[in-house]
Amino acid sequence: MAAVALTPGQSEALSELAEIVRINDRRIRIEDVRDPQQEGQPLAVDMTIDCRGETTTDSSVRLEDWEPVTVLVPPRFPFEHPEVTVPHQRFAGLPHVMWADAICLYLAANDWDPGRRMHGFVGQLLTWFEEVARGTISGPEVPWHAPLTHWRTGEYLMIRTDLPESLENDRGLWLALAVVESIGGGLYDVRRWLRGRDEADEIRAWHDRRASEDDVDARTGIFLAPAVALPEPVGFAYPNGREELLAALAGQGLAHQDYRELREFTRDFNRGIRDGDGQAPDLLLLGSPAPDRYAIPSRIAHVAAWALDVGEDHDEVGWLTVFDQRPRITTRRDTTRPAQWLVGKRILVLGCGALGAPTAEFCVRAGAAETYVVDDGKVRPGVLVRQPYTFEDIGRNKATALAERLSVINPDVLVPSGSFDAISLINGDPPMPEVDLVIDATANRSVASALEWARWTAERPPPPLLSMMVGHDCERAAATLALPGASGAGIDILRRLGIAASADANLYDLLDDFFPGHPRGAPFQPEPGCSDPTYVGSAADLTAFAGQLLNDGLAILTSAEKAHGRAFPRRWASVARTSTAGAAGAARQRLSWANDHVRLDPVLRYQMRVDPAALASMRREVALMADRRGPHVETGGMLLGQIDRASRVVWITDADGPPPGSAASAEGLMLDPTAARGWARRRRRLTRGMVAYIGAWHTHPDYLALPSPVDRRAMDEMASDGMPVLLMILGGGSGRLSRWVAGNGLPDMHLQLFFPGPEDGRDASVLP
């Protein structure tokens, strides 16, 4: 047969080799050049390398004076690296040697630098021989290569389940059974390992019960395959002939009688079982250990799958391609990344839109045990530009369509769905599932308020809550994370982020995006009709933001778990920006806050959250008044914050001294409400309404923290202009006030809301 023409790359490689030989004429010789005989074959160059006198006493292999090698130059050189083989097996077992005669100079394709061409390749080869000669060669920290199997059937076997400990600890020859499921399309999945035939009875009973319940004649899907664990390494390749393979197995102790009996048992068990492609296949799984020099974390380093019923009319053995994904020997590609926190966790994702859908997919791919998706919306044509739905999904419920798609990514992850609104779930209809993390991706204020209320009124400690949102032009995104024990959740932390942004030039762009002071002039309405005004953003934008925000939240959760009881902030916020946001702040920022001091109004059932900074301001004012007018004179001032009547939360963010027009004496403190609100107007404007006048605080230096009749009349008068107000009293009973001023403990605190209307101060608008 006439040789085919060399490719330009092969011709250049041959010229480069000739130049290398000329430069290194005393170390390298070209003995023969064999052109490819067919299109696509490599160019073979037989060479010898001078190794005279280089072998040391530390070397495990003594090199010949001239070592022969064959360099195989692929047609696509230099964009594909050459291979090198030797015509003997003296290097078998050395690092980088595969199948006894192939020297693997590159662990991965990316290790090859095409720019260095043959000079780089020959340099790598010479270095390998030098290290062998000195006895300094070391192997890569990867498992030994699987024994080579030859003729492939085109089918695939996936193994995702570790061997039982009893089999892992058995170093001898053992026979077991694999429970295999047919996935379809020539793909099979090992679901369980059985020690013996007795354990197969439960599989048989399951089959029979299923056939009876489904009223079907043929059992489907699950079948058995015998598994043999060999006590010694196979070597670099399995025999290609049937009789030769059986002889090799017998040489390791597998008696022909045992093999036949096990095969007959599984054939009898599998009779009548069909997979999606017809009759269940007849397989034999062969497990082999690695050589002693390799530290493999499993008794079985590699598994091969022999298709017993393929090629029975001739001697050649047929093999399945095996994807060995056993956790014991497989290193996940996302190991050490924040997504590792999700492994085995139960996740609830509220909202299956542009942020929620990719976030749910990230959870499934990470290996969460369960990813519950909830959304009552339907797929509209306009969302296809940025949400992972298809044309065929239009009109379907988002949660249902998403769950169907995610369930085929990882069959081990449950993806239940709920086609109802998130508020119903939060309110317990249906009951909220027990999960390890709640992700609110609805960007809905009502959902956030319902979550805020539900979390502080819950009887049991709630799980962490990660809330995500993007800005109106998709240039910024933010997430809040409430860890277990946090004094507030999504609305609480987002509000805290907004207050921080009002005082920080590096965050100020967030105010206009997430807390606009007035309605936007031209709301973006993507579709005609009754579609909700939304934001501009592409699939690339939203997927990138979803990944960043989720990663940051998971990194914080991981750090919190590693804190092991040490002080760790409970409230967090993350900010992400695009490169075109044009803001002073960094592309990614993370902020955290200590918990507020929490008290409850037992009558109205409002939760009061006092910022430590506000309490510190009160302490300074009390100390100042004690120095000026004596410890028995009441003092106080304004309370600044916000009253949220939906989540029934009152935030006391700051405290000022008494405004102009106030009177303080030993008998009490009187504030002018009009002057107080005017005094706080600038702060309200700067914070977009998040810090405004909400009431008054004062001290009872010599009495308990309980409102007097004078206090009640004063608060009723302050609430007479139609706005609810808060009364906060710091009491001095048992000397607690003076100890607090001195820096010890907290004072007695009384917090009570006063609403316009009923004299008892109850909120008639929300209470029966």
Side-chain angles (χ1 to χ4, degrees), residues 430-674:
M432 178 86 79
E434 292 189 13
V435 296
D436 300 296
L437 174 65
V438 177
I439 300 175
D440 176 16
T442 63
N444 184 295
R445 177 76 189 201
S446 295
V447 173
S449 293
L451 280 168
E452 194 76 42
W453 174 82
R455 289 176 70 82
W456 78 257
T457 58
E459 295 181 357
R460 293 183 297 178
L465 171 64
L466 178 65
S467 302
M468 301 177 173
M469 63 219 75
V470 295
H472 73 287
D473 56 3
C474 219
E475 294 283 359
R476 300 160 196 82
T480 64
L481 177 62
L483 295 176
S487 59
I491 286 182
D492 176 287
I493 305 172
L494 183 62
R495 175 183 175 275
R496 197 67 191 81
L497 175 62
I499 295 170
S502 70
D504 186 343
N506 291 324
L507 294 169
Y508 198 75
D509 60 313
L510 300 181
L511 279 180
D512 289 332
D513 212 345
F514 295 107
F515 311 94
H518 50 79
R520 303 192 190 281
F524 174 63
Q525 193 119 3
E527 294 171 294
C530 297
S531 63
D532 294 333
T534 178
Y535 52 88
V536 178
S538 69
D541 295 327
L542 275 301
T543 303
F545 276 141
Q548 290 181 63
L549 298 178
L550 179 64
N551 256 357
D552 211 44
L554 297 178
I556 295 168
L557 285 166
T558 302
S559 297
E561 291 181 352
K562 292 179 178 179
H564 300 302
R566 298 189 303 271
F568 194 85
R570 301 284 97 187
R571 298 184 295 170
W572 292 81
S574 300
V575 177
R577 297 179 177 88
T578 66
S579 59
T580 57
R588 297 179 67 179
Q589 290 176 274
R590 184 188 290 177
L591 301 91
S592 64
W593 299 274
N595 271 348
D596 291 336
H597 301 286
V598 176
R599 296 293 187 273
L600 181 68
D601 183 327
V603 176
L604 298 181
R605 293 289 295 172
Y606 270 74
Q607 191 180 66
M608 315 294 181
R609 300 176 185 173
V610 185
D611 193 308
L615 208 56
S617 296
M618 298 179 209
R619 181 168 169 264
R620 286 193 297 271
E621 180 64 28
V622 173
L624 181 63
M625 181 59 70
D627 288 342
R628 288 180 178 177
R629 306 186 63 180
H632 302 291
V633 176
E634 287 192 12
T635 188
M638 297 186 301
L639 293 176
L640 305 179
Q642 191 173 7
I643 299 174
D644 187 327
R645 297 172 73 170
S647 57
R648 302 183 75 80
V649 173
V650 178
W651 288 282
I652 300 94
T653 306
D654 206 349
D656 283 348
S662 304
S665 67
E667 286 74 34
L669 174 74
M670 294 296 295
L671 298 182
D672 181 348
T674 304

Side-chain angles (χ1 to χ4, degrees), residues 218-522:
R219 295 176 291 160
T220 59
I222 304 292
F223 61 94
L224 296 183
V228 177
L230 303 175
E232 301 295 334
V234 170
F236 294 91
Y238 280 100
N240 197 31
R242 182 179 297 271
E243 294 304 319
E244 185 183 2
L245 176 57
L246 289 174
L249 297 179
Q252 291 221 31
L254 179 61
H256 283 256
Q257 180 66 24
D258 293 336
Y259 158 73
R260 284 194 298 270
E261 288 182 359
L262 192 59
R263 187 180 181 189
E264 288 172 3
F265 172 80
T266 54
R267 275 186 164 179
D268 178 65
F269 181 94
N270 295 338
R271 189 169 289 115
I273 297 178
R274 302 180 64 82
D275 64 14
D277 303 315
Q279 182 66 34
D282 191 6
L283 303 179
L284 174 64
L285 307 189
L286 297 171
S288 59
D292 292 339
R293 68 183 309 277
Y294 289 88
I296 303 298
S298 173
R299 150 78 167 94
I300 300 300
H302 300 287
V303 178
W306 177 8
L308 296 167
D309 52 351
V310 174
E312 287 188 314
D313 54 342
H314 58 81
D315 190 45
E316 190 172 14
V317 177
W319 302 91
L320 276 69
T321 299
V322 175
F323 299 125
D324 197 341
Q325 297 293 301
R326 286 175 289 155
R328 187 187 293 266
I329 67 169
T330 301
T331 301
R332 290 178 57 101
R333 283 171 166 79
D334 60 356
T335 188
T336 74
R337 301 303 302 154
Q340 278 289 291
W341 187 91
L342 293 164
V343 176
K345 299 293 199 305
R346 298 161 300 171
I347 312 299
L348 169 62
V349 180
L350 303 177
C352 301
L355 284 176
T359 298
E361 181 169 335
F362 298 152
C363 294
V364 170
R365 292 191 183 279
E370 182 174 329
T371 302
Y372 198 129
V373 292
V374 173
D375 200 309
D376 64 343
K378 295 185 181 298
V379 178
R380 295 175 177 268
V383 306
L384 299 185
V385 302
R386 69 182 185 203
Q387 297 183 20
Y389 299 102
T390 67
F391 191 81
E392 294 180 351
D393 290 328
I394 292 174
R396 299 185 65 200
N397 171 259
K398 284 186 178 181
T400 302
L402 180 63
E404 288 181 5
R405 189 175 71 83
L406 298 185
S407 63
V408 300
I409 293 176
N410 185 345
D412 291 336
V413 177
L414 298 176
V415 191
S417 63
S419 57
F420 36 78
D421 68 279
I423 295 177
S424 296
L425 184 68
I426 296 167
N427 291 336
D429 183 22
M432 178 86 79
E434 292 189 13
V435 296
D436 300 296
L437 174 65
V438 177
I439 300 175
D440 176 16
T442 63
N444 184 295
R445 177 76 189 201
S446 295
V447 173
S449 293
L451 280 168
E452 194 76 42
W453 174 82
R455 289 176 70 82
W456 78 257
T457 58
E459 295 181 357
R460 293 183 297 178
L465 171 64
L466 178 65
S467 302
M468 301 177 173
M469 63 219 75
V470 295
H472 73 287
D473 56 3
C474 219
E475 294 283 359
R476 300 160 196 82
T480 64
L481 177 62
L483 295 176
S487 59
I491 286 182
D492 176 287
I493 305 172
L494 183 62
R495 175 183 175 275
R496 197 67 191 81
L497 175 62
I499 295 170
S502 70
D504 186 343
N506 291 324
L507 294 169
Y508 198 75
D509 60 313
L510 300 181
L511 279 180
D512 289 332
D513 212 345
F514 295 107
F515 311 94
H518 50 79
R520 303 192 190 281

